Amino acid sequence: MKTIAVVIASLIVFSGAAHAADATAPVKEIMDATKSNWADNNSDWTDIFDAGRLDHLYSKDFVARYQAAAQFPAVDDDGISPFDYDVIVNGQDACPLEDLTMAAAPAVNGTTEVTVRFMKSACSDAPDAKDYTTVRFEVVEEAGQPVIDDIVTENVETQARDSLKATMALIAKGQ
């Protein structure tokens, strides 16, 4: 009887570990696209909010907020994006991303925080060129799949955390 309990407990632990590893999958797809966007390979820009990615990488709430914000495009050139900057590097300029790391924390109340760190300005001569950028992805499960529910950047100047969902809500209100 003890052996069966140990086997069941092991299966629960391993299935939980496998589930936690899955939380990084949508984040990895976004970071691969972002890394490619800033690489020196002259490839086409990958929209991390195109219809296909919105459909399977983001939560329903995130998508609803994005679509509401998209009614107010930031730049008339494309008429689509509510942002005039790259929300991952948190700016309009970056170098090829260096020293990228990704780590998932244990889930808390159904949300797994996946922290990504990288240097975005390593090719620059600026004093802060070797500083790391930290982006936190809040990943939840919908329909049995991990999806990104928010993207939170750290504001270097204010030391505050900026929620992309909160930003999208402001854009949708015309602010």
Side-chain angles (χ1 to χ4, degrees):
M1 194 64 153
K2 239 181 181 179
T3 303
I4 293 173
V6 169
V7 169
I8 290 172
S10 297
L11 289 173
I12 291 169
V13 168
F14 286 125
S15 68
H19 177 72
D22 292 341
T24 63
V27 176
K28 182 174 179 350
E29 187 169 333
I30 294 304
M31 290 311 303
D32 286 348
T34 302
K35 198 170 181 180
S36 176
N37 285 343
W38 292 106
D40 285 334
N41 59 13
N42 296 322
S43 65
D44 289 334
W45 189 266
T46 301
D47 181 2
I48 63 170
F49 300 114
D50 69 12
R53 285 185 178 80
L54 282 173
D55 185 47
H56 79 279
L57 294 179
Y58 300 96
S59 71
K60 288 180 173 104
D61 184 49
F62 187 99
V63 171
R65 290 177 191 236
Y66 179 84
Q67 290 171 337
Q71 301 303 308
F72 301 91
V75 181
D76 289 333
D77 294 346
D78 65 12
I80 298 169
S81 178
F83 312 112
D84 63 351
Y85 65 100
D86 182 312
V87 300
I88 304 300
V89 301
N90 202 20
Q92 294 178 333
D93 297 311
C95 299
L97 305 185
E98 291 186 14
D99 294 336
L100 190 141
T101 61
M102 183 182 315
V108 175
N109 297 325
T111 301
T112 300
E113 185 176 84
V114 179
T115 302
V116 177
R117 292 185 72 227
F118 53 87
M119 286 190 291
K120 69 177 182 182
S121 301
C123 68
S124 165
D125 292 333
D128 61 353
K130 301 296 183 194
D131 289 354
Y132 280 86
T133 296
T134 301
V135 182
R136 299 178 195 287
F137 293 81
E138 294 178 4
V139 179
V140 298
E141 190 172 303
E142 285 183 358
Q145 298 297 317
V147 291
I148 297 166
D149 189 50
D150 202 359
I151 300 171
V152 180
T153 55
E154 292 181 4
N155 187 316
V156 178
E157 295 169 10
T158 65
Q159 301 300 311
R161 289 185 171 192
D162 295 330
S163 160
L164 190 58
K165 282 173 61 171
T167 299
M168 291 187 293
L170 291 173
I171 292 170
K173 291 179 182 177
Q175 299 178 350

